[in-house]
């Protein structure tokens, strides 16, 4: 992972913006370098885009075009462990059965796995894993990504066992959108490590200001137990920390709590307990919160009623469970739907989620599996699936955006900066980006946008990022809570 100096990010555009529908998503050609010869899938343009991105980045350029080409040999050595993290947030869109613009497509995963296996020379470990939303169906996710077919293919053709992990410790059972039960899951077989960032945390500058955080579930006390008194603790899955190399395969999407979700935001999925992750501060800005944009009477009423209801649901209150979604529907009628009213930190004033995301990135890059900080960052690669992206009410309720673009690079901040510009967003208006570039004992990115060069099969994208023009962007519609606040100005 390059921290300072020149950064190159590749963008490959392919039209039409479609995915193969045939798992395990074989390559479109019999490429000379691949150690396992398979059937061809001419429709698999995503695979071709991944391969072309590696060529554009100059990986193993001296052997390009020959059977000796090994593009990830600079990153991965035989016998090592590689953790591959796709976006596996949910098995479907929040309101429909569509899923291709919600999670990383299996054709992108397949291409990366093939080149990882090539670099490993048939030895070592490949782990594919994520911690999806608490209420998501992991089996449906991996079925839609074709991971079971990919696992069987590698076992049959190479005698190699791909490992697929659901990193969650529990699954939330919901009926009509209301919590009714919590079921334990095996989680990461390597366990978890508790890391207290303390003064290294981006939350440290808020210590002593009376902030009360809401996490991912109804147990507010648990969240604040781990973020108070100078303590900022995270329950991080150990397998990604144990791995020699981390490869991130995020989806290109807008996000309701931090503007966009690509590399930096995606590390939420590496936590064993998401309720240790602050998502917003209770209240509105005039009282130091970012839950709501303004202190409406309805907002105060909402906190008074909803928090009590959630506390009762957490205790498995039978009456509320029987009422199911009726109370939720009534609440939306009185207080407004979440896709219409700003609540839960879903707006440009959210000053919480970006801090949590940067904390998680520092843990991944600088902590070992014992939770001890080291000087050298973890080896890292990003391949962003933007073939069919998402705009609007992301990350699970937005609109599909078929742009046919795949983005790849070696630094999460550099790649996310390129993604933001591509989407027509101003990184200086996105704290998750501009605050990731500041001075820190464990830096994520020590340069600026002028250090980033983009290479592409699109002529306008072959230049320094700061030289892009309005004609070079593909404008995305932000989440409604961010609209009008993050777009590039004319």
């Amino acid at each position: 992972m390059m921290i300072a100096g020149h950064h190159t990010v590749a963008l490959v555009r392919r039209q039409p913006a479609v995915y193969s529908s045939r798992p395990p998503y074989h390559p479109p050609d019999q490429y000379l370098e691949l150690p396992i010869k398979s059937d061809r899938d001419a429709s698999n343009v995503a695979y071709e885009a991944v391969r072309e991105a590696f060529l554009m980045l100059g990986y193993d350029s001296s052997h390009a075009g020959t059977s000796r080409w090994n593009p990830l040999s600079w990153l991965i050595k035989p016998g090592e462990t590689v953790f591959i993290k796709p976006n596996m947030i949910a098995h479907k869109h929040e309101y429909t059965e569509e899923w291709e613009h919600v999670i990383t497509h299996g054709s992108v995963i397949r291409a990366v796995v093939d080149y990882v296996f090539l670099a490993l020379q048939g030895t070592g470990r490949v782990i594919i894993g994520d911690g999806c939303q608490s209420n998501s169906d992991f089996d449906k996710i991996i079925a839609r990504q074709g991971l079971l077919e990919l696992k069987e293919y590698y076992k049959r053709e190479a005698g190699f066992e791909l490992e697929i992990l659901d990193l969650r410790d529990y699954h939330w059972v919901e009926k009509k959108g209301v919590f009714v039960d919590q079921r334990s899951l095996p989680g990461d077989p390597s366990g978890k490590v508790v890391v207290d960032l303390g003064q290294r945390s981006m939350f440290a500058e808020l210590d002593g200001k009376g902030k009360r955080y809401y996490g991912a579930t109804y147990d507010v006390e648990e969240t604040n137990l781990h973020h108070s008194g100078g303590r900022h603790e995270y329950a991080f899955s150990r397998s990604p920390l144990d791995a020699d190399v981390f490869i991130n395969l995020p989806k290109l999407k807008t996000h309701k709590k931090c503007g966009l979700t690509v590399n930096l935001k995606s590390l939420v999925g590496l936590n064993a307990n998401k309720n240790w992750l602050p998502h917003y501060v209770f209240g509105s800005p005039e009282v130091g919160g970012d839950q709501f944009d303004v202190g409406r009477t309805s907002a105060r009423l909402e906190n008074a009623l909803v928090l009590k209801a959630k506390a009762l649901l957490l205790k498995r209150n039978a009456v509320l469970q029987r009422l199911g979604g009726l109370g939720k529907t009534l609440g939306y009628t009185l207080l407004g739907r979440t896709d219409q009213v700003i609540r839960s930190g879903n707006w440009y004033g959210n000053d919480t989620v970006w801090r949590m995301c940067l904390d998680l990135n520092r843990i991944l890059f600088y902590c070992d599996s014992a939770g001890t900080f080291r000087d050298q960052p973890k080896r890292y690669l990003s391949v962003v699936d933007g073939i069919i992206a998402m705009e609007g009410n992301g990350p699970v309720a937005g609109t599909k955006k078929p742009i046919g673009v795949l983005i790849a690079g070696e630094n999460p901040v550099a790649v996310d900066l390129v993604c933001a510009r591509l989407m027509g967003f101003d990184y200086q208006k996105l704290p998750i980006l501009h605050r990731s570039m500041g001075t820190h004992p464990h830096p994520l990115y020590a340069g600026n946008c002028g250090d980033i060069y983009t290479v592409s099969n699109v002529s306008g994208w072959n230049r320094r990022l700061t030289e892009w023009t309005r004609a070079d962007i593909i404008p995305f519609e932000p989440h409604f809570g961010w609209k009008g606040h993050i777009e590039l100005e004319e």
Side-chain angles (χ1 to χ4, degrees):
M1 172 191 174
M2 294 180 62
I3 297 299
H6 173 77
H7 296 272
T8 302
V9 176
L11 299 96
V12 180
R13 192 166 199 193
R14 283 282 175 266
Q15 296 293 333
V18 294
Y19 296 110
S20 166
S21 59
R22 297 164 49 195
Y25 307 114
H26 292 311
D29 204 350
Q30 296 282 358
Y31 298 124
L32 294 174
E33 69 274 4
L34 294 180
I36 309 173
K37 301 307 175 186
S38 64
D39 294 335
R40 295 172 57 184
D41 181 354
S43 68
N44 196 353
V45 296
Y47 193 112
E48 183 182 32
V50 172
R51 184 175 185 271
E52 188 170 357
F54 293 163
L55 287 166
M56 288 177 177
L57 289 167
Y59 295 162
D60 195 23
S61 58
S62 64
H63 296 124
T66 74
S67 60
R68 297 176 61 194
W69 188 53
N70 188 349
L72 299 185
S73 58
W74 65 272
L75 178 71
I76 301 164
K77 305 305 176 190
E80 292 186 326
T81 297
V82 180
F83 193 100
I84 299 175
K85 185 206 169 297
N87 185 315
M88 305 169 88
I89 186 172
H91 55 278
K92 71 178 190 69
H93 188 277
E94 187 168 340
Y95 302 121
T96 74
E97 289 300 316
E98 294 180 299
W99 60 272
E100 286 188 334
H101 57 310
V102 178
I103 54 178
T104 307
H105 197 271
S107 54
V108 176
I109 302 171
R110 166 64 190 276
V112 172
V113 168
D114 279 1
Y115 287 103
V116 167
F117 180 73
L118 174 62
L120 287 172
Q121 300 293 294
T123 65
R125 298 173 64 195
V126 176
I127 304 170
I128 304 171
D130 195 12
C132 52
Q133 279 188 166
S134 300
N135 61 347
S136 294
D137 189 323
F138 188 77
D139 290 339
K140 285 185 179 179
I141 293 170
I142 63 174
R144 288 176 167 173
Q145 290 176 324
L147 295 187
L148 296 180
E149 290 91 339
L150 182 59
K151 181 181 174 74
E152 174 57 31
Y153 168 78
Y154 262 90
K155 185 175 182 180
R156 182 181 69 248
E157 299 296 330
F160 190 84
E161 192 74 34
L162 296 176
E163 302 172 48
I164 302 172
L165 298 184
D166 180 354
L167 298 177
R168 298 176 299 173
D169 277 352
Y170 59 83
H171 169 68
W172 265 36
V173 181
E174 293 184 352
K175 289 184 179 179
K176 298 180 180 179
V178 174
F179 166 81
V180 295
D181 196 13
Q182 179 173 304
R183 296 175 184 169
S184 296
L185 296 173
D188 188 341
S190 295
K192 61 177 179 282
V193 56
V194 175
V195 180
D196 181 7
L197 288 175
Q199 289 303 302
R200 295 184 178 97
S201 171
M202 299 304 289
F203 286 103
E205 62 192 33
L206 302 182
D207 286 346
K209 296 186 177 181
K211 305 289 184 180
R212 186 162 172 78
Y213 301 104
Y214 185 87
T217 68
Y218 298 169
D219 190 348
V220 175
E221 298 307 320
E222 180 182 43
T223 308
N224 287 276
L225 173 66
H226 298 286
H227 292 276
S228 60
R231 179 173 59 246
H232 296 290
E233 290 181 325
Y234 297 89
F236 214 90
S237 298
R238 184 172 268 112
S239 287
L241 298 179
D242 270 335
D244 300 290
V245 177
F246 185 85
I247 300 182
N248 205 347
L249 308 183
K251 194 77 171 176
L252 184 65
K253 298 189 288 186
T254 52
H255 196 281
K256 58 188 178 182
K257 285 183 168 61
C258 57
L260 83 169
T261 172
V262 198
N263 288 283
L264 296 171
K265 174 61 176 70
S266 72
L267 294 200
V268 165
L270 300 184
N271 290 267
N273 189 329
K274 289 188 175 64
N275 202 39
W276 291 28
L277 306 178
H279 283 65
Y280 58 81
V281 175
F282 283 104
S284 51
E286 54 265 37
V287 293
D290 57 8
Q291 178 185 11
F292 304 103
D293 55 340
V294 293
R296 298 179 293 269
T297 300
S298 60
R300 291 189 288 272
L301 175 64
E302 180 172 332
N303 272 350
L305 296 177
V306 173
L307 285 177
K308 289 180 181 177
K310 287 182 175 181
L312 290 172
L313 284 167
L314 197 63
K315 295 177 181 178
R316 314 295 202 275
N317 183 276
V319 175
L320 281 181
Q321 288 183 350
R322 282 197 300 271
L323 288 174
L326 180 62
K328 193 169 187 176
T329 301
L330 178 61
Y332 281 152
T333 301
L334 295 174
L335 304 171
R337 292 181 56 85
T338 300
D339 57 0
Q340 300 169 333
V341 174
I342 291 175
R343 60 162 57 89
S344 304
N346 299 339
W347 67 300
Y348 70 93
N350 187 310
D351 191 42
T352 303
V353 162
W354 68 264
R355 298 176 188 273
M356 172 259 287
C357 292
L358 299 191
D359 279 2
L360 298 179
N361 278 268
R362 290 198 165 93
I363 292 172
L364 173 69
F365 284 113
Y366 291 103
C367 276
D368 61 23
S369 58
T372 303
F373 275 83
R374 56 173 183 259
D375 294 330
Q376 286 299 114
K378 184 181 289 292
R379 281 173 276 159
Y380 182 96
L381 179 68
S382 165
V383 178
V384 181
D385 177 7
I387 304 297
I388 300 180
M390 180 186 289
E391 64 180 352
N393 295 352
V396 292
T399 304
K400 66 172 59 178
K401 184 86 168 176
I403 63 173
V405 177
L406 184 131
I407 308 103
E410 300 156 31
N411 180 280
V413 179
V415 174
D416 283 12
L417 286 166
V418 171
C419 290
R421 180 62 63 92
L422 176 69
M423 300 164 83
F425 298 157
D426 184 345
Y427 81 92
Q428 297 181 81
K429 300 176 182 177
L430 291 158
I432 194 170
L433 292 182
H434 74 76
R435 289 297 302 271
S436 70
M437 303 166 74
T439 302
H440 192 277
H442 302 287
L444 298 175
Y445 186 91
N448 55 57
C449 279
D451 299 322
I452 301 172
Y453 291 80
T454 53
V455 292
S456 179
N457 61 333
V458 176
S459 60
W461 295 340
N462 273 306
R463 63 181 80 184
R464 195 187 297 262
L465 183 60
T466 51
E467 295 171 351
W468 279 35
T469 69
R470 296 288 300 186
D472 299 321
I473 70 172
I474 304 174
F476 276 54
E477 180 182 355
H479 178 274
F480 76 89
W482 294 74
K483 197 169 184 177
H485 296 277
I486 58 173
E487 297 90 335
L488 286 165
E489 296 180 5
E490 293 294 336

